[in-house]
Every structure is written in C-alpha cells, then in structure tokens.
Amino acid sequence: MTVDDDPGVSRAVARDLRRRYGDRHRIIRAESGEAALGALREMKLRGEAVAVILADYRMPQMSGIEFLEQAMDVYPGARRVLLTAYADTGAAIDAINIVDLDHYLLKPWDPPEEKLYPVVDALLDAWLEADYRPVPETKIIGHRWSARSSEVREFLARNQVPYRWYSADEPEGQRLLAAAGADGDCLPVVITPDGEALVEPSDPDLAGRVGLATTPSESFYDLIVVGGGPAGLGAAVYGASEGLRTVLVERTATGGQAGQSSRIENYLGFPDGVSGAQLTDRARRQAARFGAEVLTTREVVSLEVNGSARTVRFSDGTAIDAHTVIIATGVSYRQLTAPGLMPLTGRGVFYGSSLTEAASCKGQDVYIVGGANSAGQAAVYLSRHARSVTLLVRGGSLRQSMSHYLIQQIAGIGEISVRTHAEVAAAHGTDHLNSLTLRDTATGTTEIVDAEWLFVFIGAAPLTDWLDGVLVRDDRGFIVAGPDLSVGGERPRGWRLDRAPYHLETSVPGVFVAGDVRAESAKRVASAVGEGAMAVMLVHRYLEKL
Ligand SMILES: Cc1cc2nc3c(=O)[nH]c(=O)nc-3n(C[C@H](O)[C@H](O)[C@H](O)COP(=O)(O)OP(=O)(O)OC[C@H]3O[C@@H](n4cnc5c(N)ncnc54)[C@H](O)[C@@H]3O)c2cc1C
C-alpha cells in the first residue's frame, strides 16, 4: 500500500511498485491517511494480508507518522516505510521510535532499481518469514465463556462452514473488532469471507450469509419432511429421487444427533467408521442433487389438516402445504437439574456439543456425565485433546448401557477414567464453570473437584408438544404409528378411512413418522435412515389412493 496526498507522486510510486511486484502482489494506492485506513480495515475484514505500507510524511489532516501509528493497530505485521523530503529526515528518524519504522526513503526515489526495490525486497523477505498468513475464511470473535459464542461456532461447524475463532481478549480479536467498528460490548461478531461484519447474528442471519436456504420456493409440495436428522435426510433423498416435490425443514442445522457424533462405527458400508459431520454432508448433498429443497433454521410449530392438504406452520407464522408430511424430529438432550448448572450452560457446561469445543479443552481436565454410547464416544474423542477425561456414571458399571466395543476402547485409553455410582450434585462458578460437587450415590458422600468442562449425555426426549391434540403420542411424547395405534383392534379416534393406518402412518392419514421420534423406535442411525426410506414408500401408497 502506498499513501501520498500528491496524486502525481502517489501514481508514480504505485507504478514503480507494480512494475516490479505486480505479478505477486496487489498494489493499493490512497491519497490520504483516512482513505488508506478505510482500505486497510476492509482488507482486514476480508482476511487479506498487507505486506508493506509506504506513507508520505507530509500530508494534510493526518501525517504519515500518525497514519502509520494507526495502521499498526490494524496490521501489526506489515512493514512500514516513510517517504520524506531531505529536510524532514530528523522527523523520520524520530518516527523510527514512535511507529517502529522499518525504513525511511528520501524523495525522489529514482532510479527505483537502486533506491526503492532493494528496500522493498528486503522488507518483503522479512515479512514472508514472519507468520502473518491471511485468513480468508469466516471469522468469529467472541468470549470463550459465552453461550451464544459457542452456539454460533456449533452452528457453523454443523453446517460445514470453516471458520477461525478469535477471543475478544486477544490482540488479533481486538484488531478485528476495531476494523469492524464494533466496540466488543455485543458479541459474538462474525466476519464473512467477503468482509461483512455481523454483530450478534441469529442463526437465520448466518444461514443466509453462508448460502443455506431458509425460505421455501413454493407454497405446495407433494411431501414436507420435518426434521433434518438421518431419518429426515433419508426421506428427502428417497422422496426427491422418486420424483416427489420434496422440501425438508430443519430447525437448526441438518444432521440431528448423528451430526454431533464424532464417529459412527456401526453404519452399514463404513467399515472404518464415519464422522456424523461427513455422513450429514454427503446426505445433504445427495438430497440436493436429487432436487429436494433443504431449509435450515426454520422451526415447525404446528401441523393442521385442511381437507386433503396438510399445513405445516413455521415459528414466524408463515406456512406451506403438501399432500403428505413425514415427521422426523428425533429427540433432544435432556438437561441435568442439579443446582448451578442452568446458568453455566454454554459456559463450561455443554449438552452434547463436544466436537466444536474439543480443541479448547487441550491439556485440561474434562468431566462427562452419561453411561451410554454417546458419552463413550465423546470420552474417546475428547481424550485426544484433554489431559484427563472422567466419565461419571450413575450405575455400577458401563456394561448395561454401553456397547462392548466402546467399553474395550475406553479401557485401553490411559487418559479416561470411569467413576461409577457418581452424579453431579452441584456446579459452581460465576462467569464459567470452575468446580463441581460430585456425589457418590452408593455412600451418599460428596466431594468438590476443580472442573472447567462438563459435557452431559444423559439421554433425550422428543419435543412434540406442538403436536398436542393433533396426533396420538405416548405418555413420553413419542409419536404412535401403524399397528401400535390400534388398541384392542379399534382404529384410532377420528380415523375415518376404511383401511387401517399404514405401518409408519400416524393417527392423521397422510402424516407419517420416521426415526427416533416414533414410539418404540430403535434409536440408531441405520434404522432412522431405513424408516425415512420406508415412509416414502408408504407416501406413494397413500398418494395412489388420494
Ligand atoms: C453423540 C451421539 C452419538 C451417536 N452415535 C451413534 C452411533 O454410533 N450409531 C448409531 O446407530 N446411532 C448413534 N446415535 C443415535 C443416532 O444418532 C440417532 O438414533 C439418529 O440420529 C436419529 O435420527 P432422527 O433423524 O430420527 O433424529 P435426530 O437425529 O434427533 O434429528 C432430528 C432433527 O429434527 C430437528 N427438529 C426437531 N424438531 C423440529 C421442528 N419442530 N422443526 C424443524 N426441525 C426440527 C432437529 O433439530 C434435528 O436436527 C448417536 C447419538 C448421539 C447423540
């Protein structure tokens, strides 16, 4: 970058620089300190790197030294050169101390081969040796212990959007905030690869910016799939591939629980296991390739029956209609209720979202609550980063709740220890978790342990209250379907068709259920995908008779 208030000089410097460096570098020219600072801030937000800045000393409004001082706040790694007239060399020498100047060049700099290029060559070499690599991807600046900051990281990670995380307390985080004109009171700030700064963005804001669809393109479909976990994605792939106009609606990010799994070992066709993120990414691309519309960050809040149409309403009040609906809303993590845990959620206490936080646990002691496979997988994954992982299990052993292969894996990892008959009695910390009270359920004794990280995997419940009074659900909220609806040979109340409900059909004809949200389902990725496919087959059967 070169800055000079005299347009003739500014053009001449830029021309000389371009001639020698134009094939490897972009030369930016500005005619005032203010304009140059504006350009630097934009480049900072876009994640571009600045190697060398040449500034004229005598400029109105802002001198070259004042400019370089501020430029240093934005790009501390850029090498700084002051262009001075002979009479100003004293000031230039003083500036070496003020702005840590790398060099001063006397005007005129002709011939550049002798006076300009050797200086800039040396500065470029020095700059290349230093580690100031550009970061063109999405950047998040937030607090380590902020619930919304970790939600945003989780959201981007689950949608396979690469990002780099900066703490607002670190110098580079502060530089980015300053470049974005943000004061740091409202965090997180997300900077898109184009350099747009989003302050405290909502999930739909983020989805829109990272290229995920959030609004339906039509008002009527053959099939609406609610929920984008394995069951919903399976239904969308089969529905669209078999020619149904299909839309999938997902509340947060596609993948569901499986998307949070570090390694699914038992899914057919992946003998070495597959991460939930990979499986989700492939499934989503497959659904899109077949022409299914996939909407994210759209929560469905009601289902209505309007003649032969089934109406699905979103939380913003808008709605879409279809001939048929497949509900694949899965289950959500149950929360621990011990005192102190609620306010620390996202501030050291996490439900399931171990994957995005794993790197932050490096060298630290981690506690995991739960004795099922999800807790076991998380323990294995986190043990690669953490100093120690303690699995807190209520029962006397893992044998009743965890697969044999995982128990063996855990036994072979020195960093993991299993504490049986253990539960969290309380959590302590103001800004973030710093200790836990653990209770031994066999003896009733308690102990306080230092802990900054607690991951909870204690089973899950279906969130189906929005279907209350519409569909038959069991006493835990799971949706009842097919033969399970007939009690003592009787068809469900309000059922007017002269046939019985199809296998995965709910108490409303044309509305099907698949995956974990179905009563008595298997709670496995493979069975969820299988039910999604089977539900589509039954959708066809329903449509044929419509
Ligand atoms: C950490 C972990 C590891 C696991 N590992 C394995 C494994 O190794 N092998 C295995 O077979 N199984 C495993 N499971 C279980 C497996 O992931 C689930 O059985 C499977 O994901 C169920 O799929 P689903 O589509 O029915 O529901 P879910 O995966 O729960 O997906 C439901 C989706 O619906 C969305 N949704 C909910 N309500 C709404 C609404 N109102 N509007 C819009 N969208 C909504 C949710 O956001 C979610 O994305 C694991 C589970 C976890 C949590």
Side-chain angles (χ1 to χ4, degrees), residues 289 370 418:
R289 189 166 66 83
V418 181

Side-chain angles (χ1 to χ4, degrees), residues 478-489:
F478 290 96
I479 299 171
V480 183
D484 295 341
L485 280 166
S486 306
V487 183

Side-chain angles (χ1 to χ4, degrees), residues 158 228-230 253-262 264 276 280 329-333 374 377 459-460 516-517 523 525:
R158 289 189 55 188
T254 45
Q257 301 164 70
Q260 296 173 29
S261 170
S262 48
I264 298 164
T280 302
T329 49
V331 291
S332 301
Y333 283 107
S374 51
Q377 284 179 2
D516 281 15
V517 71
K523 314 287 186 286
V525 177

Side-chain angles (χ1 to χ4, degrees), residues 125-142:
D125 286 346
W127 177 79
L128 282 170
E129 274 172 26
D131 188 19
Y132 281 102
R133 280 165 298 147
V135 184
E137 73 267 76
T138 301
K139 300 180 247 322
I140 309 175
I141 307 112

Side-chain angles (χ1 to χ4, degrees), residues 158 226-232 249-253 255-258 260-261 263-266 298-300 328-331 333 374 377 405 457 466 514-517 523-526 528:
R158 289 189 55 188
V226 186
V249 185
E250 164 56 47
R251 184 176 52 169
T252 51
Q257 301 164 70
Q260 296 173 29
S261 170
R263 189 142 286 269
I264 298 164
E265 305 265 8
N266 55 357
R298 295 308 296 267
E299 181 165 15
V300 170
T329 49
V331 291
Y333 283 107
S374 51
Q377 284 179 2
Y405 79 89
F457 296 84
W466 57 282
D516 281 15
V517 71
K523 314 287 186 286
R524 290 282 181 276
V525 177

Side-chain angles (χ1 to χ4, degrees), residues 212-476:
L212 299 165
T214 53
T215 38
S217 65
E218 296 183 36
S219 56
F220 200 97
Y221 292 84
D222 294 322
L223 169 63
I224 300 171
V225 180
V226 186
L233 286 166
V237 165
Y238 286 96
S241 69
E242 290 164 18
L244 298 175
R245 279 171 305 151
T246 304
V247 62
L248 180 149
V249 185
E250 164 56 47
R251 184 176 52 169
T252 51
T254 45
Q257 301 164 70
Q260 296 173 29
S261 170
S262 48
R263 189 142 286 269
I264 298 164
E265 305 265 8
N266 55 357
Y267 189 58
L268 189 73
F270 292 89
D272 305 316
V274 57
S275 79
Q278 272 174 341
L279 192 65
T280 302
D281 184 44
R282 286 168 189 221
R284 189 178 47 186
R285 283 191 284 122
Q286 202 173 6
R289 189 166 66 83
F290 283 124
E293 259 182 62
V294 177
L295 310 181
T296 43
T297 68
R298 295 308 296 267
E299 181 165 15
V300 170
V301 294
S302 79
L303 172 71
E304 296 149 29
V305 177
N306 291 312
S308 68
R310 306 288 173 258
T311 303
V312 157
R313 198 166 294 284
F314 302 120
S315 49
D316 65 356
T318 58
I320 46 177
D321 293 313
H323 291 303
T324 58
V325 174
I326 294 177
I327 298 174
T329 49
V331 291
S332 301
Y333 283 107
R334 270 211 295 272
Q335 311 265 311
L336 270 185
T337 51
L341 281 166
M342 179 70 103
L344 294 172
T345 303
R347 297 165 179 268
V349 176
F350 297 92
Y351 287 87
S353 58
S354 55
L355 305 184
T356 41
E357 301 298 334
S360 316
C361 304
K362 202 171 165 57
Q364 306 202 27
D365 302 317
V366 167
Y367 286 80
I368 297 177
V369 182
N373 282 4
S374 51
Q377 284 179 2
V380 171
Y381 187 75
L382 290 167
S383 69
R384 289 182 213 141
H385 302 269
R387 181 170 58 185
S388 77
V389 176
T390 309
L391 210 51
L392 303 172
V393 185
R394 271 181 105 152
S397 90
L398 290 173
R399 244 171 293 132
Q400 299 85 9
S401 50
M402 200 179 281
S403 297
H404 181 64
Y405 79 89
L406 258 184
I407 297 177
Q408 281 187 318
Q409 218 174 331
I410 285 174
I413 299 175
E415 284 78 13
I416 306 180
S417 55
V418 181
R419 235 170 127 148
T420 53
H421 298 297
E423 67 178 15
V424 174
H428 317 279
T430 39
D431 256 12
H432 63 87
L433 178 71
N434 52 37
S435 63
L436 292 169
T437 303
L438 303 182
R439 184 184 296 121
D440 185 320
T441 54
T443 62
T445 53
T446 58
E447 179 195 354
I448 295 183
V449 294
D450 289 341
E452 290 206 321
W453 300 93
L454 177 74
F455 295 97
V456 184
F457 296 84
I458 51 162
L463 298 181
T464 53
D465 287 353
W466 57 282
L467 293 165
D468 193 26
V470 186
L471 299 182
V472 174
R473 297 175 303 147
D474 71 9
D475 51 4
R476 291 187 299 154

